[in-house]
Amino acid sequence: MKGPVSKPFLQVEGISKRFPARGKQSELVVFEDVNFSVPRGEFVSVIGHSGCGKSTILSIIAGLTQASAGYVFVGGKVVTRPGLARGVIFQNHSLLPWRSALGNVLFSVRARHPDWSNPQLLEHALRYLHMVGLKGAESRKPAELSGGMRQRVGIARAFAIEPQVLLMDEPFGALDALTRATIQDELLTLWQSTGQTALMITHDVDEAIYLSDRILVMSDGPNARIAEVVPVNFARPRVRSAILRDPRYHELRAHLLDFLTQGSRQSPELGATAPSALVPTETSTLPIQQGSTT
């Protein structure tokens, strides 16, 4: 007799988001029956045009927004409210303006480990703050930090609570290109050292390719759905300059951009045959095989 089948680490089952009809306006279905799973330790990105519900999906997983239908499971437990098992990094960093960089990280660490001593809390918070390159800026308040430094504090704070799942909503969207590339590398280093599961929302195709193991491509809203699942099989650790010189990268990039400029405007039936799990279909599998990029 077979035992119970265990769920993937992060499992999204049939979630929908609808807004009721108002006056002469009909019901708005942002997205319907979204299904996907993320194994432990994988980095997955979601891309698509504005209005397809990407950020709402992340917010539902975080427990900040209620789905109209469906369920989210993390580690086999259903998500019903926010919790420290899910760390969130927002585009606007959301730091407490009256606290220093160290104070912002300490605030979250203390909530995660209320029984720790002050020296334990301080050592833990400093370790993550220094890992994102902020040694020497511990006492500065957010107003005294650049945009990139504030985002580093947000990343350190999210990792310091050691969440089971790291959720990121356009975490680098407000940064200049050079700063964005630097912090992307710091994020990858942290993620690889912790083995955490990561889900990121982004509009940036290049960012999605560089960071992700798989990319979920959403069709346009309303009535959006996951239209395609694209694997990114470049070996890790990744070297940005080597990937940019690889013809497979340009093929993948062209494929994603082609979908975003043409495919996402096609019929909602586009994603009807897409599998509910993160298994690439024939149309989404590109000739990008595992291999060294160094």
Side-chain angles (χ1 to χ4, degrees):
M1 182 176 178
K2 292 183 179 180
V5 178
S6 61
K7 292 181 180 293
F9 185 65
L10 169 60
Q11 179 76 25
V12 175
E13 293 187 358
I15 64 170
S16 303
K17 187 62 180 178
R18 311 183 198 96
F19 292 96
R22 291 184 178 181
K24 296 182 180 180
Q25 295 180 337
S26 59
E27 180 186 51
L28 173 62
V29 181
V30 182
F31 53 81
E32 186 79 31
D33 194 29
V34 169
N35 299 272
F36 64 89
S37 61
V38 183
R40 186 186 294 272
E42 190 171 48
F43 196 123
V44 172
S45 291
V46 183
I47 65 173
H49 290 292
S50 297
C52 69
K54 304 184 302 297
S55 293
T56 303
I57 290 172
L58 184 138
S59 186
I60 291 171
I61 296 171
L64 300 171
T65 299
Q66 190 73 33
S68 302
Y71 300 92
V72 173
F73 298 88
V74 173
K77 297 180 179 179
V78 65
V79 172
T80 58
R81 61 181 184 271
L84 292 171
R86 282 148 286 132
V88 185
I89 302 175
F90 298 103
Q91 181 176 344
N92 63 0
H93 62 73
S94 301
L95 301 180
L96 301 173
W98 59 90
R99 288 183 177 267
S100 65
L102 177 59
N104 268 277
V105 179
L106 274 172
F107 182 82
S108 294
V109 176
R110 186 173 285 110
R112 178 70 175 85
H113 300 287
D115 56 334
W116 281 11
S117 67
N118 285 334
Q120 284 178 300
L121 294 169
L122 183 62
E123 180 184 7
H124 188 82
L126 283 172
R127 179 161 68 92
Y128 281 94
L129 204 59
H130 294 168
M131 285 176 72
V132 297
L134 287 178
K135 189 172 184 179
E138 298 90 344
S139 62
R140 296 186 189 179
K141 292 183 178 179
E144 301 171 312
L145 300 172
S146 67
M149 294 172 77
R150 289 194 292 269
Q151 201 64 8
R152 283 186 173 95
V153 177
I155 292 171
R157 181 179 59 183
F159 273 97
I161 65 172
E162 298 174 323
Q164 293 177 315
V165 178
L166 187 66
L167 303 170
M168 296 169 280
D169 191 1
E170 295 282 353
F172 315 115
L175 305 177
D176 63 87
L178 182 59
T179 302
R180 183 164 61 246
T182 300
I183 301 182
Q184 285 171 355
D185 289 336
E186 290 171 351
L187 172 68
L188 270 185
T189 300
L190 273 173
W191 170 74
Q192 289 171 167
S193 67
T194 60
Q196 287 170 322
T197 305
L199 182 72
M200 180 180 71
I201 305 301
T202 181
H203 284 93
D204 190 324
V205 167
D206 298 295
E207 179 172 86
I209 295 172
Y210 181 58
L211 297 176
S212 308
D213 296 306
R214 286 185 275 189
I215 301 171
L216 309 184
V217 187
M218 293 195 67
S219 64
D220 284 356
N223 295 293
R225 64 190 65 215
I226 295 175
E228 191 172 12
V229 180
V230 180
V232 183
N233 293 327
F234 289 109
R236 297 187 186 274
R238 292 175 178 171
V239 178
R240 190 187 303 270
S241 59
I243 290 177
L244 290 175
R245 292 194 300 268
D246 194 315
R248 300 171 300 165
Y249 162 79
H250 297 285
E251 183 177 0
L252 175 55
R253 186 177 189 271
H255 176 81
L256 293 170
L257 289 174
D258 183 63
F259 177 87
L260 290 175
T261 56
Q262 298 181 36
S264 62
R265 298 188 177 93
Q266 295 175 9
S267 165
E269 292 301 314
L270 177 65
T273 59
S276 60
L278 288 182
V279 179
T281 62
E282 289 184 4
T283 57
S284 67
T285 304
L286 298 176
I288 298 178
Q289 304 299 324
Q290 190 75 16
S292 175
T293 61
T294 58

